[in-house]
Amino acid sequence: MRRKPIELAAVATAAVPGLTPTAVSSAPDDPADFDSALLLDSEGKHWRVRSPRHAEASARLETEFLVLRAFVPAIRAELPFLMPTVAGTVRQGELSTFVYSHLAGATRSIEELSNGSAALAREIGAALASIHDLPRSLVSNADLPSYTPNEFRQRRLNELDQAATTGKIPPLLLRRWEHAMEDVSLWRFHPCVVHGDLHEDNLLVDGDRVTAVTGWTDLRIGDPADDMAWLVASNEQAFVDSVLEHYTASRRDAPDAHLLRRAALSAEFALAQYLVKGLAAGDQDMIREAESMLTALAEDVAEYGGQPISVEPLPQPVAAPGPAVAQDPGAAPAQAVPAVSKVTLLPPDPVSGPGAVPVGGAEPAVHMTPAVHVSPAVHVTPIPPDAVDHAGNDGVEDDGGPQEVPADDAAEIPADGTADNVPDAGEEAAASAGGTMPATVPPAAVPADADPATAEDTTQSIAVVPANPADDTSTTTIAVVEAKSP
């Protein structure tokens, strides 16, 4: 439940004895975590009241109280701006409300800052540099968090996993952020003291001067880019460049080259963190606002590419290749062709006839007899000939040329002298693959003037092997088998 400014004024009177408010107004702050107000007392002094809305926000205010106490006068004197001072506190249940003394200056929007003078940009750059050059002992003595680059990157990845489980982050953004967080070269930076919650509402400006910096609830040692995230929201690149130039000139350590890339990532990822915070608080207004901003960001990145955040370019998804051969819509899907060991085919002598297989050229053209059904998609796969000794004892006449038959197979030749039932290498390959054996291609013709004693006979067979025996409409494999006899 939100507290109105008049209620905060009443709480402030309990925190600071003798305080008599005469005027009150609301003050800009983190609306999900705090209710804030500005007070004017009877003596003309200004005060600021911050009241947490939940236990976590209250713990942050108590941490800030410890941080401000760690800024001893010697350290404050080195800073080019003022810092808040706690005037009083009051505890109500589990929550603590803090009242701070007045600081000169007023907050400005990012547009107003971007359109400001060059002197104001110089002031902002110098203020950022002075924070990042604070002694690291300031954080360690206050027992505040400290992260190495790899620890900080892993922390971001864990937060990304948590955001992804909500199911409300556009996939385009998840892929973009994950790629950047896994880009190791992006996360090579020198850790330093960072404000942790720096944005335009925590800068008090008077004219061209930065008079004060507030909101010290997340002080830590980590990535300096986090304090630059609010800058990348500016549409004035000249303003961003001017701030970065004066920041670099004022730092004792040279900033890394990818500072603004990580700042842009931090600015985008802050929307996911805002969504997670809204879901944890059950605030439907926050959830709707976060979803709207995430959708707008995803559309902007899809159309314009967004700001560069990764050093390595984001891989683009590759479309799946289309089918190599058009198939009949009514046919069953083509099955994989059985693997065949690699063989070296000896070129046969030229043959003639309807079943001739030409030699030379690219892929052989296979002509089937009309009796054999051929599927539209045909694969020609060579099958190695059986290691059979073809020096048989019986010869079988076939179109004018003797063919050697192995001795072991001679007994299987019928009495009529034909060899149609003798299994050769092609038939065995077809049988083992579950196929059938069609008509045999006529053997190679022996030239008339060749010497029969030295002539070399070649037999070629074609085995038609269905890729799927249960479906005769599937892709057919044709195996060409050559058997040569000396």
Side-chain angles (χ1 to χ4, degrees):
M1 179 179 178
R2 292 190 180 277
R3 291 184 174 183
K4 297 180 180 179
I6 191 66
E7 294 177 302
L8 295 177
V11 174
T13 60
V16 182
L19 175 62
T20 305
T22 59
V24 63
S25 65
S26 60
D29 210 327
D30 297 331
D33 296 329
F34 307 105
D35 296 320
S36 297
L38 290 177
L39 305 180
L40 178 65
D41 67 3
S42 57
E43 298 180 359
K45 293 181 180 180
H46 292 81
W47 308 84
R48 187 183 186 191
V49 184
R50 299 188 80 191
S51 179
R53 302 195 63 203
H54 48 80
E56 180 186 357
S58 181
R60 290 175 59 192
L61 288 182
E62 292 174 1
T63 300
E64 183 186 37
F65 178 65
L66 297 177
V67 169
L68 294 177
R69 290 180 59 182
F71 278 87
V72 296
I75 294 179
R76 290 181 181 241
E78 297 292 331
L79 297 174
F81 51 79
L82 298 176
M83 296 184 62
T85 300
V86 176
T89 180
V90 60
R91 189 169 187 86
Q92 297 174 299
E94 296 181 352
L95 308 180
S96 296
T97 299
F98 286 77
V99 180
Y100 303 85
S101 58
H102 172 67
L103 293 172
T107 59
R108 295 184 185 179
S109 66
I110 185 64
E111 290 78 14
E112 292 173 332
L113 293 175
S114 301
N115 294 323
S117 64
L120 179 58
R122 181 169 57 251
E123 284 272 314
I124 295 174
L128 287 169
S130 65
I131 296 173
H132 295 168
D133 283 338
L134 285 169
R136 294 164 60 101
S137 58
L138 180 70
V139 173
S140 58
N141 291 342
D143 199 22
L144 296 173
S146 178
Y147 302 100
T148 65
N150 189 56
E151 289 171 344
F152 188 81
R153 182 176 70 93
Q154 188 60 51
R155 182 169 178 256
R156 279 283 189 263
L157 283 169
N158 294 339
E159 292 175 342
L160 178 62
D161 291 341
Q162 182 183 8
T165 59
T166 66
K168 297 180 180 295
I169 309 295
L172 183 147
L173 296 181
L174 285 176
R175 183 167 171 264
R176 171 180 170 87
W177 296 339
E178 182 179 17
H179 176 72
M181 292 178 190
E182 292 181 348
D183 188 353
V184 179
S185 59
L186 184 67
W187 301 93
R188 293 173 181 150
F189 62 86
H190 296 292
C192 64
V193 177
V194 295
H195 181 280
D197 190 31
L198 193 62
H199 49 78
E200 62 272 21
D201 290 339
N202 285 333
L203 291 178
L204 297 182
V205 178
D206 184 12
D208 293 335
R209 293 183 56 247
V210 175
T211 59
V213 176
T214 62
W216 298 84
T217 58
D218 294 316
L219 190 73
R220 60 177 179 264
I221 294 176
D223 186 2
D226 276 4
D227 287 346
M228 302 285 190
W230 65 281
L231 279 175
V232 298
S234 172
N235 294 323
E236 297 294 333
Q237 188 62 38
F239 167 73
V240 177
D241 293 341
S242 180
V243 171
L244 184 62
E245 177 184 356
H246 291 94
Y247 168 80
T248 303
S250 302
R251 280 292 310 271
R252 287 197 292 264
D253 295 333
D256 64 283
H258 306 312
L259 182 67
L260 288 185
R261 288 180 181 267
R262 294 195 309 278
L265 172 62
S266 182
E268 292 183 9
F269 191 63
L271 300 181
Q273 294 171 316
Y274 186 64
L275 173 66
V276 172
K277 185 179 293 185
L279 290 170
D283 191 326
Q284 296 301 319
D285 292 337
M286 284 182 61
I287 296 172
R288 283 191 293 268
E289 183 181 9
E291 288 181 323
S292 176
M293 291 188 293
L294 286 167
T295 300
L297 176 61
E299 292 174 352
D300 178 75
V301 171
E303 184 173 359
Y304 303 106
Q307 299 189 51
I309 58 175
S310 301
V311 179
E312 296 294 332
L314 182 66
Q316 298 299 321
V318 180
V325 180
Q327 296 184 353
D328 186 356
Q335 302 294 323
V337 179
V340 179
S341 59
K342 183 178 180 181
V343 295
T344 302
L345 296 180
L346 297 177
D349 294 334
V351 296
S352 59
V357 180
V359 178
E363 188 173 337
V366 179
H367 305 280
M368 299 297 296
T369 59
V372 179
H373 173 71
V374 181
S375 179
V378 177
H379 304 282
V380 179
T381 305
I383 299 179
D386 287 343
V388 180
D389 182 9
H390 293 283
N393 299 323
D394 296 328
V396 181
E397 296 292 334
D398 189 2
D399 294 338
Q403 291 186 345
E404 298 294 333
V405 180
D408 294 340
D409 296 338
E412 300 180 13
I413 301 178
D416 57 3
T418 63
D420 292 341
N421 297 327
V422 178
D424 60 11
E427 288 174 331
E428 291 174 358
S432 63
T436 58
M437 182 64 192
T440 303
V441 178
V446 180
D449 56 350
D451 186 46
T454 61
E456 187 175 355
D457 294 342
T458 301
T459 302
Q460 293 182 330
S461 300
I462 297 178
V464 181
V465 183
N468 184 359
D471 185 1
D472 59 359
T473 63
S474 61
T475 303
T476 304
T477 301
I478 297 180
V480 178
V481 179
E482 295 182 312
K484 303 175 70 69
S485 60

